Amino acid sequence: LQNGNKTPIRLVMTKDVKTISPQTEFLEAAELMSAHKISGLPVVDKGVLVGFVTETTILEEFIAGAK
């Protein structure tokens, strides 16, 4: 990092953010995360951030569905 911990986040943040809608199906979200090698997806509804799905969320849902 430039200047250690004084580097502005804008210089290292992801700019091409993949998002999903609240209506996105579970499998589609998992496939998108896998295809793009990302660990989380913002959930956006009409341009407003309404939540966030993570690898843990996906794994927990998978485990719950397998029981």
Side-chain angles (χ1 to χ4, degrees), residues 1-15:
L1 292 175
Q2 301 170 355
N3 302 320
N5 63 357
K6 296 183 185 232
T7 300
I9 238 11
R10 65 181 163 74
L11 296 179
V12 296
M13 69 183 188
T14 300
K15 295 175 181 90

Side-chain angles (χ1 to χ4, degrees), residues 8-63:
I9 238 11
R10 65 181 163 74
L11 296 179
V12 296
M13 69 183 188
T14 300
K15 295 175 181 90
D16 181 24
V17 178
K18 306 295 182 212
T19 64
I20 57 174
S21 77
Q23 292 75 32
T24 301
E25 293 186 6
F26 173 81
L27 182 57
E28 183 181 349
E31 289 173 338
L32 183 63
M33 291 169 69
S34 178
H36 293 281
K37 298 184 181 359
I38 53 179
S39 60
L41 288 167
V43 181
V44 177
D45 190 19
K46 299 176 186 162
V48 176
L49 179 66
V50 295
F52 199 82
V53 175
T54 66
E55 290 175 327
T56 301
T57 310
I58 298 290
L59 186 56
E60 288 173 345
E61 186 64 26
F62 174 76
I63 292 169

